[in-house]
Amino acid sequence: MTLTLIGVGSVFLLLLLLLMGVPIAFAMGGVGLLGILVMEGPAAAMAQAALVPWAESRSFVLVTIPLFVLMGQLVFHTGLATQLYDGLRAWIGWIPGGMAITSVLACGTFGAVTGSSIATVATMGAIVMPEMDRFGYDRRLATGALAASGTLGILIPPSVIFIFYGVMTETSIGALFIAGILPGILTATMFSALIYFRCLLRPHLGPPGPVGTWPERVDAMKRLGPILGLFVLVIGGIYGGVFTPTEAAGVGCSGVLVAAIPGRRLNMAAVRKALEDTVLISVMLFAIIVGGYVFARLMAITGLTESIVEILVGMELGRGGFLFLLVLLYLVLGAMLDVFGMLVLSIPFVMPVVLALGIDPVWFGVFVVIMAEVALVTPPIGANVFVMRRIAPDVPMEDIFRGVAPFVVGEFLVILLLVLFPALALWLPSLMP
Amino acid sequence: MRSPLQLLDAGLAGVDVWSDMISRALFRVAVNAALPALMALVTLDVVLRYVFNTPLPWGRDVNGLLLLITIFSALPHGWDQGYHIRMEVFYSRFQSRTRRWADVASGAAGILFFALMGIQALRFAPYMAATGETGEDLLLPVWPFMAYMGFCSLVLAARLVGNPSGEEHIGLGAEGDRTDTPERNVAPPPDDSTTPGGES
């Protein structure tokens, strides 16, 4: 009883610190050590303080994080995104809403090699928004499509969020990457269909662009080559069992550098900037991973997690009821925290229940990432919407949120399909060697 | 004759200046050496395995140590650059006095976490040296890396004293930039002239 009380007290103290704005890593690490200090004495607390980071910071799996972040940062600086957009536009720019559909597909493909939704919106938004303005696209549709499509960056592999989830839950990162492919394609198809039918019914929303000639289209295919090549190299390598995710990340980084050589797309300043940003982003993620582990040790000692699992399983909500609760939970968490915060705070408590209910952790990873996508475009945080606003400062924030709304409905439809047909996420991983 | 408060102020200013200088030097180690070496080594290991069928037996150990150096070298400067995730919904609306209390709580939690980490790592290092602990495949003593981890953690604790709010720290020629978005898995904004967006 005392143990559980200390556990509950620690959770309340953690929530208080988080509400005060204490960085998540500090709050989890500090409260975790304090709790261990109270329960097991200073020697145990001191030992955990050094042993947890020592073990985690040398993990071969975690090498994946800085390398995939670096790959994304390098791609971001190469100018490959412009080629990608031009290549896709030559094929589909002429249909109703074609520019917006092109942006969805370009975001999906660009996201596939950057793994970051914000980088995807920032890059593609700056390229596509002036084009859509030129063709008289409805600004609500244009900004909404771009902000929502940027979220594909975290679902289509490689994805930093999948790595983060995989590390936290000890789920195969390779399987998670592969599991994200079909739901990612489904989401991109859903977004494209939404745009197409809306523009078909109300042509002024997204007038067709010029029809590309066949020579232009053939040339466009060549432009798509570098990005598609990188995707095939990285994901094909993981899927085929040639590379571990860590090796694939290293090879991917080198691949970007090689792809950038022909057009002299990278200079030293850009490489240096990519390295700096990568290091800073990685540090931020590692800090919360280490803090999260320390807090998880405290929870394990108190046995609070087991108590929560017993209560939730005892409620007999069933799989559907539990997932519905989680949708609500992640909507609330997403309104207060960023994606990584959402995960680090919820996964230690939610994951044991997920396993107790027999939900596949790979499937659940896809579910969580789609919920993270929703959080990225819904108020009050809606990180993608904020980035979009910086790109289109004359479009009111409210209009962007309204423009995003149909795509959020699309995301929920994808979640529904995923619940009804779990094979959407699990079929491809089941074929892995 | 200076008062105790003035002496304390001078001491804190000294901690700020010195720890800032050290944290920038450590950051350069991460950016210029550790991360590029990590990338090169992972790629080299793959090439050696698939092309020459001779993978590096010590590759994983060295990768792990390079990751540790990358992360801990950049940890103090990451704080100064504002790369930390916090719930900003209320924090950004706090009045300056309330925010100061929140910063005190942040500093206390961070110092508790990282100072304990640093002290204990520095206590573990001599023990590891005495027992001759090495990597699994790499027969290299690992105690210097434990000591390095401890040193960097203490530098971060000092930075928390020098810059308790974690706002971007401007001083001694601040480098790098920080995007001002709620999610920090970000690349630079598109107005950066090196980005494709900037060119279009």
Side-chain angles (χ1 to χ4, degrees):
Chain A
M1 185 62 187
T2 314
L3 288 181
T4 312
L5 270 181
I6 292 177
V8 172
S10 303
V11 171
F12 275 109
L13 179 59
L14 175 68
L15 289 176
L16 177 70
L17 291 177
L18 291 178
L19 289 170
M20 285 173 73
V22 173
I24 295 171
F26 295 1
M28 296 191 104
V31 172
L33 286 185
L34 198 63
I36 296 172
L37 186 82
V38 169
M39 294 181 66
E40 304 213 315
M46 295 285 279
Q48 293 295 336
L51 291 177
V52 171
W54 175 250
E56 298 311 323
S57 303
R58 292 177 305 131
S59 155
F60 186 66
V61 176
L62 289 181
V63 174
T64 319
I65 292 182
L67 292 186
F68 269 127
V69 173
L70 178 60
M71 180 181 157
Q73 292 287 330
L74 288 172
V75 170
F76 184 81
H77 287 282
T78 54
L80 291 172
T82 312
Q83 279 195 349
L84 174 70
Y85 175 73
D86 289 345
L88 289 168
R89 189 188 55 179
W91 284 90
I92 49 177
W94 58 275
I95 63 175
M99 298 293 170
I101 295 173
T102 303
S103 72
V104 171
L105 301 182
C107 283
T109 318
F110 189 68
V113 285
T114 60
S116 159
S117 63
I118 297 280
T120 305
V121 177
T123 310
M124 297 311 300
I127 297 166
V128 182
M129 200 60 206
E131 284 276 295
M132 289 206 267
D133 276 346
R134 194 155 63 87
F135 286 94
Y137 269 60
D138 177 77
R139 307 211 80 197
R140 203 179 277 180
L141 172 81
T143 51
L146 276 164
S149 306
T151 63
L152 291 168
I154 59 168
L155 182 57
I156 297 178
S159 151
V160 177
I161 309 278
F162 270 141
I163 300 170
F164 193 80
Y165 171 86
V167 168
M168 285 193 69
T169 61
E170 295 179 358
T171 306
S172 159
I173 292 169
L176 285 166
F177 278 0
I178 303 305
I181 293 176
L182 284 183
I185 293 172
L186 180 66
T187 309
T189 310
M190 182 78 77
F191 286 180
S192 301
L194 272 169
I195 295 167
Y196 179 75
F197 287 113
R198 284 180 71 196
C199 294
L200 201 64
L201 294 173
R202 300 170 70 189
H204 70 277
L205 290 179
V211 180
T213 63
W214 280 104
E216 280 173 352
R217 289 179 183 179
V218 172
D219 185 49
M221 287 306 289
K222 290 181 198 162
R223 290 166 182 243
L224 296 177
I227 291 237
L228 294 180
L230 274 173
F231 182 78
V232 170
L233 178 72
V234 171
I235 300 305
I238 294 173
Y239 189 69
V242 179
F243 305 135
T244 63
T246 306
E247 291 168 343
V251 171
C253 288
S254 304
V256 179
L257 293 176
V258 171
I261 288 171
R264 292 188 178 178
R265 296 180 175 283
L266 276 176
N267 54 34
M268 277 314 290
V271 172
R272 188 179 164 77
K273 187 81 180 79
L275 286 167
E276 284 180 1
D277 286 342
T278 299
V279 164
L280 291 169
I281 292 166
S282 303
V283 162
M284 183 183 74
L285 298 181
F286 270 85
I288 55 175
I289 286 174
V290 171
Y293 270 112
V294 172
F295 189 74
R297 297 257 165 121
L298 173 66
M299 291 296 101
I301 295 168
T302 60
L304 184 64
T305 313
E306 285 85 349
S307 307
I308 291 173
V309 174
E310 273 174 28
I311 291 168
L312 282 172
V313 173
M315 286 166 77
E316 295 182 355
L317 292 167
R319 185 172 175 266
F322 175 65
L323 290 175
F324 181 70
L325 260 188
L326 283 187
V327 168
L328 297 180
L329 172 75
Y330 281 120
L331 282 175
V332 173
L333 284 180
M336 295 187 289
L337 287 162
D338 90 321
V339 174
F340 296 105
M342 262 173 68
L343 289 187
V344 82
L345 210 56
S346 64
I347 291 297
F349 299 103
V350 166
M351 203 60 204
V353 186
V354 166
L355 296 176
L357 290 175
I359 297 171
D360 190 294
V362 172
W363 181 90
F364 187 67
V366 176
F367 170 86
V368 164
V369 168
I370 297 177
M371 285 312 300
E373 284 186 323
V374 172
L376 280 168
V377 289
T378 46
I381 290 189
N384 279 20
V385 174
F386 278 83
V387 176
M388 198 59 236
R389 169 105 166 104
R390 289 170 70 185
I391 293 164
D394 52 327
V395 184
M397 190 75 91
E398 194 184 314
D399 276 8
I400 307 178
F401 275 123
R402 282 186 181 173
V404 158
F407 299 100
V408 173
V409 174
E411 296 267 25
F412 282 120
L413 282 175
V414 172
I415 287 182
L416 189 63
L417 287 172
L418 204 62
V419 172
L420 295 176
F421 308 104
L424 279 171
L426 297 177
W427 179 61
L428 280 180
S430 72
L431 301 178
M432 284 173 79
Chain B
M1 183 73 181
R2 292 200 285 182
S3 72
L5 274 179
Q6 283 174 323
L7 284 172
L8 182 67
D9 268 354
L12 288 176
V15 168
D16 185 24
V17 169
W18 279 97
S19 62
D20 186 46
M21 213 155 62
I22 295 169
S23 86
R24 285 172 193 280
L26 290 172
F27 183 63
R28 282 194 288 274
V29 171
V31 170
N32 297 333
L35 183 59
L38 183 62
M39 187 193 93
L41 187 63
V42 171
T43 310
L44 179 69
D45 198 20
V46 172
V47 172
L48 288 175
R49 174 177 303 150
Y50 289 106
V51 180
F52 301 104
N53 201 23
T54 51
L56 300 169
W58 40 264
R60 286 198 172 208
D61 277 351
V62 176
N63 282 331
L65 294 174
L66 283 172
L67 178 67
L68 181 134
I69 294 173
T70 305
I71 296 307
F72 277 90
S73 300
L75 201 55
H77 194 59
W79 171 254
D80 282 328
Q81 289 292 304
Y83 275 78
H84 40 76
I85 299 172
R86 59 164 39 133
M87 193 185 280
E88 292 185 355
V89 175
F90 303 109
Y91 182 79
S92 58
R93 290 169 175 78
F94 284 159
Q95 302 217 333
S96 61
R97 196 170 168 190
T98 318
R99 189 180 280 209
R100 227 174 3 247
W101 279 108
D103 289 340
V104 168
S106 294
I111 289 170
L112 172 71
F113 188 29
F114 286 100
L116 285 186
M117 191 187 292
I119 292 166
Q120 186 61 28
L122 289 176
R123 286 175 65 192
F124 270 145
Y127 173 76
M128 291 169 93
T131 55
E133 195 169 328
T134 62
E136 277 180 32
D137 299 305
L138 177 74
L139 297 177
L140 182 80
V142 289
W143 68 264
F145 300 95
M146 178 62 101
Y148 188 75
M149 183 181 106
F151 173 71
C152 294
S153 303
L154 290 180
V155 175
L156 173 58
R159 290 309 308 135
L160 285 163
V161 174
N163 177 22
S165 68
E167 296 292 329
E168 191 174 350
H169 188 70
I170 308 296
L172 301 175
E175 56 189 12
D177 72 349
R178 191 191 74 160
T179 49
D180 195 20
T181 54
E183 191 197 40
R184 293 263 195 247
N185 59 336
V186 293
D191 55 354
D192 183 327
S193 61
T194 58
T195 64
E199 290 164 7
S200 67

PDB file of all heavy atoms in Angstrom, chain A residues 185-197:
ATOM      1  N   ILE A 185       0.470   4.748 -47.068  1.00  0.00           N
ATOM      2  CA  ILE A 185      -0.080   4.853 -48.430  1.00  0.00           C
ATOM      3  C   ILE A 185      -1.592   5.072 -48.363  1.00  0.00           C
ATOM      4  O   ILE A 185      -2.157   5.882 -49.116  1.00  0.00           O
ATOM      5  CB  ILE A 185       0.260   3.571 -49.232  1.00  0.00           C
ATOM      6  CG1 ILE A 185       1.778   3.486 -49.465  1.00  0.00           C
ATOM      7  CG2 ILE A 185      -0.487   3.530 -50.560  1.00  0.00           C
ATOM      8  CD1 ILE A 185       2.249   2.188 -50.076  1.00  0.00           C
ATOM      9  N   LEU A 186      -2.232   4.364 -47.426  1.00  0.00           N
ATOM     10  CA  LEU A 186      -3.694   4.517 -47.269  1.00  0.00           C
ATOM     11  C   LEU A 186      -4.043   5.956 -46.889  1.00  0.00           C
ATOM     12  O   LEU A 186      -4.983   6.549 -47.426  1.00  0.00           O
ATOM     13  CB  LEU A 186      -4.179   3.538 -46.196  1.00  0.00           C
ATOM     14  CG  LEU A 186      -5.676   3.549 -45.899  1.00  0.00           C
ATOM     15  CD1 LEU A 186      -6.467   3.056 -47.108  1.00  0.00           C
ATOM     16  CD2 LEU A 186      -5.993   2.674 -44.687  1.00  0.00           C
ATOM     17  N   THR A 187      -3.268   6.525 -45.967  1.00  0.00           N
ATOM     18  CA  THR A 187      -3.539   7.909 -45.542  1.00  0.00           C
ATOM     19  C   THR A 187      -3.330   8.869 -46.713  1.00  0.00           C
ATOM     20  O   THR A 187      -4.157   9.775 -46.932  1.00  0.00           O
ATOM     21  CB  THR A 187      -2.607   8.305 -44.365  1.00  0.00           C
ATOM     22  OG1 THR A 187      -2.681   7.308 -43.365  1.00  0.00           O
ATOM     23  CG2 THR A 187      -2.997   9.632 -43.780  1.00  0.00           C
ATOM     24  N   ALA A 188      -2.253   8.668 -47.460  1.00  0.00           N
ATOM     25  CA  ALA A 188      -1.988   9.550 -48.607  1.00  0.00           C
ATOM     26  C   ALA A 188      -3.120   9.412 -49.637  1.00  0.00           C
ATOM     27  O   ALA A 188      -3.577  10.406 -50.222  1.00  0.00           O
ATOM     28  CB  ALA A 188      -0.646   9.194 -49.244  1.00  0.00           C
ATOM     29  N   THR A 189      -3.602   8.181 -49.849  1.00  0.00           N
ATOM     30  CA  THR A 189      -4.698   7.961 -50.792  1.00  0.00           C
ATOM     31  C   THR A 189      -5.975   8.640 -50.290  1.00  0.00           C
ATOM     32  O   THR A 189      -6.708   9.276 -51.055  1.00  0.00           O
ATOM     33  CB  THR A 189      -4.951   6.443 -50.964  1.00  0.00           C
ATOM     34  OG1 THR A 189      -3.698   5.816 -51.234  1.00  0.00           O
ATOM     35  CG2 THR A 189      -5.922   6.161 -52.083  1.00  0.00           C
ATOM     36  N   MET A 190      -6.209   8.497 -48.987  1.00  0.00           N
ATOM     37  CA  MET A 190      -7.404   9.118 -48.377  1.00  0.00           C
ATOM     38  C   MET A 190      -7.357  10.639 -48.559  1.00  0.00           C
ATOM     39  O   MET A 190      -8.349  11.260 -48.968  1.00  0.00           O
ATOM     40  CB  MET A 190      -7.417   8.764 -46.888  1.00  0.00           C
ATOM     41  CG  MET A 190      -8.597   9.262 -46.098  1.00  0.00           C
ATOM     42  SD  MET A 190     -10.057   8.266 -46.351  1.00  0.00           S
ATOM     43  CE  MET A 190      -9.702   6.826 -45.349  1.00  0.00           C
ATOM     44  N   PHE A 191      -6.214  11.245 -48.280  1.00  0.00           N
ATOM     45  CA  PHE A 191      -6.062  12.697 -48.425  1.00  0.00           C
ATOM     46  C   PHE A 191      -6.272  13.104 -49.889  1.00  0.00           C
ATOM     47  O   PHE A 191      -6.951  14.088 -50.191  1.00  0.00           O
ATOM     48  CB  PHE A 191      -4.665  13.147 -47.973  1.00  0.00           C
ATOM     49  CG  PHE A 191      -4.463  13.139 -46.482  1.00  0.00           C
ATOM     50  CD1 PHE A 191      -3.239  13.515 -45.929  1.00  0.00           C
ATOM     51  CD2 PHE A 191      -5.481  12.767 -45.617  1.00  0.00           C
ATOM     52  CE1 PHE A 191      -3.036  13.506 -44.554  1.00  0.00           C
ATOM     53  CE2 PHE A 191      -5.290  12.748 -44.242  1.00  0.00           C
ATOM     54  CZ  PHE A 191      -4.052  13.116 -43.715  1.00  0.00           C
ATOM     55  N   SER A 192      -5.661  12.330 -50.806  1.00  0.00           N
ATOM     56  CA  SER A 192      -5.756  12.669 -52.231  1.00  0.00           C
ATOM     57  C   SER A 192      -7.212  12.573 -52.694  1.00  0.00           C
ATOM     58  O   SER A 192      -7.701  13.433 -53.437  1.00  0.00           O
ATOM     59  CB  SER A 192      -4.900  11.712 -53.066  1.00  0.00           C
ATOM     60  OG  SER A 192      -3.563  11.786 -52.654  1.00  0.00           O
ATOM     61  N   ALA A 193      -7.917  11.519 -52.245  1.00  0.00           N
ATOM     62  CA  ALA A 193      -9.321  11.340 -52.641  1.00  0.00           C
ATOM     63  C   ALA A 193     -10.165  12.490 -52.109  1.00  0.00           C
ATOM     64  O   ALA A 193     -11.040  13.013 -52.817  1.00  0.00           O
ATOM     65  CB  ALA A 193      -9.833  10.004 -52.129  1.00  0.00           C
ATOM     66  N   LEU A 194      -9.893  12.888 -50.871  1.00  0.00           N
ATOM     67  CA  LEU A 194     -10.640  14.010 -50.285  1.00  0.00           C
ATOM     68  C   LEU A 194     -10.470  15.264 -51.135  1.00  0.00           C
ATOM     69  O   LEU A 194     -11.450  15.973 -51.438  1.00  0.00           O
ATOM     70  CB  LEU A 194     -10.104  14.296 -48.875  1.00  0.00           C
ATOM     71  CG  LEU A 194     -10.704  13.526 -47.706  1.00  0.00           C
ATOM     72  CD1 LEU A 194      -9.878  13.744 -46.445  1.00  0.00           C
ATOM     73  CD2 LEU A 194     -12.134  14.000 -47.468  1.00  0.00           C
ATOM     74  N   ILE A 195      -9.248  15.539 -51.532  1.00  0.00           N
ATOM     75  CA  ILE A 195      -8.975  16.750 -52.332  1.00  0.00           C
ATOM     76  C   ILE A 195      -9.635  16.616 -53.702  1.00  0.00           C
ATOM     77  O   ILE A 195     -10.307  17.539 -54.182  1.00  0.00           O
ATOM     78  CB  ILE A 195      -7.449  16.950 -52.506  1.00  0.00           C
ATOM     79  CG1 ILE A 195      -6.799  17.233 -51.168  1.00  0.00           C
ATOM     80  CG2 ILE A 195      -7.152  18.084 -53.484  1.00  0.00           C
ATOM     81  CD1 ILE A 195      -5.274  17.141 -51.175  1.00  0.00           C
ATOM     82  N   TYR A 196      -9.463  15.452 -54.312  1.00  0.00           N
ATOM     83  CA  TYR A 196      -9.980  15.250 -55.678  1.00  0.00           C
ATOM     84  C   TYR A 196     -11.498  15.459 -55.731  1.00  0.00           C
ATOM     85  O   TYR A 196     -12.005  16.222 -56.562  1.00  0.00           O
ATOM     86  CB  TYR A 196      -9.612  13.843 -56.160  1.00  0.00           C
ATOM     87  CG  TYR A 196     -10.116  13.541 -57.552  1.00  0.00           C
ATOM     88  CD1 TYR A 196      -9.492  14.085 -58.671  1.00  0.00           C
ATOM     89  CD2 TYR A 196     -11.219  12.733 -57.750  1.00  0.00           C
ATOM     90  CE1 TYR A 196      -9.958  13.825 -59.955  1.00  0.00           C
ATOM     91  CE2 TYR A 196     -11.692  12.466 -59.024  1.00  0.00           C
ATOM     92  CZ  TYR A 196     -11.061  13.007 -60.119  1.00  0.00           C
ATOM     93  OH  TYR A 196     -11.535  12.754 -61.380  1.00  0.00           O
ATOM     94  N   PHE A 197     -12.221  14.797 -54.816  1.00  0.00           N
ATOM     95  CA  PHE A 197     -13.682  14.885 -54.885  1.00  0.00           C
ATOM     96  C   PHE A 197     -14.188  16.274 -54.500  1.00  0.00           C
ATOM     97  O   PHE A 197     -15.160  16.766 -55.063  1.00  0.00           O
ATOM     98  CB  PHE A 197     -14.325  13.783 -54.046  1.00  0.00           C
ATOM     99  CG  PHE A 197     -14.184  12.436 -54.698  1.00  0.00           C
ATOM    100  CD1 PHE A 197     -13.400  11.453 -54.139  1.00  0.00           C
ATOM    101  CD2 PHE A 197     -14.815  12.172 -55.918  1.00  0.00           C
ATOM    102  CE1 PHE A 197     -13.247  10.219 -54.763  1.00  0.00           C
ATOM    103  CE2 PHE A 197     -14.666  10.938 -56.556  1.00  0.00           C
ATOM    104  CZ  PHE A 197     -13.875   9.957 -55.977  1.00  0.00           C
TER     105      PHE A 197
END
